[in-house]
Amino acid sequence: MGKKADGKVLAQNKKASHDYFIEDTYEAGMVLTGTEIKSLRNGRSNISDAFATIRNGEINIHNMHISPFEQGNRNNPTDPTRTRKLLLHKEQIRKLIGLSKQEGYTIVPLKIYVRNGYAKLLLGLGRGKKQYDKRETAAKRDAQRDIQRALREKQKIAR
């Protein structure tokens, strides 16, 4: 049997790119209990309010909501926003400890997806945006949209 390569995005934190400059990303495994993976596969999760912390050389994610599985059994976790442990290599954790201690940096969950049958969480090392940075990003996006619109119009006229 070959490996399954799903790569399906189960949850995404769209607010993260609006609030942070994402400078580096890390792929982490998650320690799930009971039927949490079934709820994840059904798309019953939310990571918009989630954040990661590092304590005692371990990285944990807080406020990640995974709804209980409807057809669950007694092994179903009762608290949907419990703290979950993330699995990273020691070198990656050490690097994250050093970078997140710097002023203005935080560890932000970006998306949850399935790779080779395992649920993965993409973590981003983010530096907070100021209000004027957000306006500047929006202006760049609008300018790019106008450029694309003008190019499409020019191609239509050329035909």
Side-chain angles (χ1 to χ4, degrees):
M1 298 282 287
K3 286 191 173 185
K4 296 178 254 177
D6 299 338
K8 179 183 173 190
V9 175
L10 304 173
Q12 196 166 6
N13 189 356
K14 295 179 182 178
K15 218 167 75 170
S17 62
H18 183 261
D19 293 339
Y20 299 98
F21 292 113
I22 305 299
E23 297 187 359
D24 202 3
T25 59
Y26 298 91
E27 181 183 69
M30 292 187 288
V31 177
L32 301 174
T33 60
T35 55
E36 286 181 329
I37 186 65
K38 292 183 179 185
S39 289
L40 275 176
R41 287 181 189 270
N42 287 339
R44 311 258 307 158
S45 61
N46 184 3
I47 59 171
S48 61
D49 296 330
F51 62 96
T53 59
I54 302 174
R55 284 204 186 113
N56 302 329
E58 292 182 349
I59 188 162
N60 295 305
I61 185 143
H62 304 273
N63 288 348
M64 181 173 72
H65 188 277
I66 299 177
S67 298
F69 190 60
E70 290 87 14
Q71 294 84 26
N73 54 14
R74 62 185 168 161
N75 294 332
N76 223 8
T78 56
D79 184 19
T81 58
R82 70 180 182 85
T83 301
R84 293 169 179 87
K85 183 178 174 183
L86 299 178
L87 306 171
L88 284 169
H89 293 286
K90 281 188 179 179
E91 306 86 50
Q92 292 175 329
I93 293 175
R94 279 194 223 115
K95 187 175 179 183
L96 277 173
I97 288 172
L99 292 172
S100 66
K101 293 234 190 238
Q102 293 178 11
E103 188 67 29
Y105 284 93
T106 186
I107 304 167
V108 182
L110 300 175
K111 64 181 169 180
I112 301 173
Y113 55 94
V114 175
R115 175 177 281 171
N116 297 333
Y118 295 103
K120 302 288 183 178
L121 178 70
L122 187 67
L123 293 173
L125 183 68
R127 186 170 42 90
K129 285 186 181 178
K130 304 280 191 249
Q131 188 64 34
Y132 58 85
D133 291 330
K134 293 178 186 179
R135 285 194 294 265
E136 182 180 311
T137 304
K140 284 181 184 176
R141 185 177 55 238
D142 291 342
Q144 189 66 31
R145 191 178 303 133
D146 292 341
I147 291 169
Q148 292 298 324
R149 188 178 301 129
L151 286 174
R152 277 196 307 269
E153 292 296 323
K154 191 169 187 172
Q155 286 177 352
K156 283 182 183 179
I157 294 172
R159 290 183 187 176

